[in-house]
Amino acid sequence: MSNESNDEASVFSDGFAVPITGLLALLFAVMAGMTVFPALSGSPGDVALPLIFGAASLLCFRLRQRALAARADR
Protein backbone atom coordinates (compact mmCIF):
# COMPACT_ATOMS: atom_id res chain seq x y z
CA MET A 1 0.00 0.00 0.00
CA SER A 2 2.09 2.82 -1.28
CA ASN A 3 1.21 6.29 -2.46
CA GLU A 4 3.82 6.15 -5.22
CA SER A 5 2.97 5.41 -8.80
CA ASN A 6 4.55 2.45 -10.60
CA ASP A 7 7.13 4.66 -12.32
CA GLU A 8 8.32 6.13 -9.04
CA ALA A 9 8.50 2.73 -7.33
CA SER A 10 11.22 1.55 -9.71
CA VAL A 11 14.51 0.59 -8.12
CA PHE A 12 16.47 2.85 -10.48
CA SER A 13 14.07 5.79 -10.53
CA ASP A 14 16.70 8.40 -9.64
CA GLY A 15 19.02 7.47 -12.49
CA PHE A 16 21.84 6.12 -10.36
CA ALA A 17 22.19 2.87 -12.28
CA VAL A 18 23.73 4.32 -15.43
CA PRO A 19 26.69 6.20 -13.88
CA ILE A 20 27.39 3.54 -11.25
CA THR A 21 27.38 0.64 -13.69
CA GLY A 22 29.47 2.68 -16.13
CA LEU A 23 32.08 3.35 -13.44
CA LEU A 24 32.05 -0.30 -12.38
CA ALA A 25 32.52 -1.42 -15.98
CA LEU A 26 35.47 0.96 -16.32
CA LEU A 27 36.94 -0.20 -13.01
CA PHE A 28 36.71 -3.88 -13.90
CA ALA A 29 38.18 -3.23 -17.36
CA VAL A 30 41.15 -1.38 -15.83
CA MET A 31 41.65 -4.17 -13.28
CA ALA A 32 41.52 -6.76 -16.06
CA GLY A 33 44.13 -4.83 -18.02
CA MET A 34 46.37 -4.45 -14.98
CA THR A 35 46.31 -8.17 -14.24
CA VAL A 36 46.89 -9.48 -17.78
CA PHE A 37 50.69 -9.19 -17.91
CA PRO A 38 51.35 -10.65 -14.44
CA ALA A 39 48.91 -13.48 -15.23
CA LEU A 40 50.62 -14.29 -18.52
CA SER A 41 54.03 -14.46 -16.88
CA GLY A 42 52.74 -16.57 -13.96
CA SER A 43 51.13 -19.96 -13.72
CA PRO A 44 48.31 -20.98 -16.06
CA GLY A 45 45.82 -20.70 -13.20
CA ASP A 46 46.53 -16.98 -12.87
CA VAL A 47 44.86 -16.28 -16.22
CA ALA A 48 41.44 -16.74 -14.59
CA LEU A 49 41.64 -13.43 -12.72
CA PRO A 50 41.76 -11.14 -15.80
CA LEU A 51 39.05 -13.24 -17.43
CA ILE A 52 36.81 -12.81 -14.38
CA PHE A 53 37.45 -9.05 -14.33
CA GLY A 54 36.71 -8.86 -18.06
CA ALA A 55 33.48 -10.78 -17.66
CA ALA A 56 32.44 -8.53 -14.76
CA SER A 57 33.18 -5.50 -16.92
CA LEU A 58 31.01 -6.83 -19.74
CA LEU A 59 28.23 -7.66 -17.29
CA CYS A 60 28.27 -4.14 -15.84
CA PHE A 61 28.29 -2.66 -19.34
CA ARG A 62 25.30 -4.82 -20.29
CA LEU A 63 23.42 -3.73 -17.16
CA ARG A 64 24.19 -0.11 -18.04
CA GLN A 65 22.79 -0.58 -21.54
CA ARG A 66 19.62 -2.15 -20.12
CA ALA A 67 19.18 0.75 -17.69
CA LEU A 68 19.59 3.24 -20.55
CA ALA A 69 17.04 1.36 -22.62
CA ALA A 70 14.59 1.27 -19.71
CA ARG A 71 15.03 5.00 -19.21
CA ALA A 72 14.41 5.67 -22.91
CA ASP A 73 11.18 3.62 -22.85
CA ARG A 74 9.55 5.89 -20.28
Side-chain angles (χ1 to χ4, degrees):
M1 299 286 155
S2 176
N3 292 335
E4 298 177 355
S5 68
N6 287 339
D7 290 338
E8 294 174 2
S10 174
V11 176
F12 302 122
S13 63
D14 293 335
F16 292 117
V18 174
I20 289 174
T21 54
L23 289 173
L24 283 174
L26 178 65
L27 175 73
F28 284 128
V30 168
M31 289 170 55
M34 288 173 38
T35 57
V36 167
F37 293 117
L40 292 177
S41 63
S43 67
D46 292 340
V47 175
L49 189 61
L51 292 177
I52 291 170
F53 284 146
S57 176
L58 291 175
L59 176 68
C60 288
F61 185 74
R62 178 69 179 139
L63 288 173
R64 181 180 183 273
Q65 294 297 349
R66 290 182 70 186
L68 283 172
R71 183 188 290 179
D73 288 341
R74 287 190 197 180

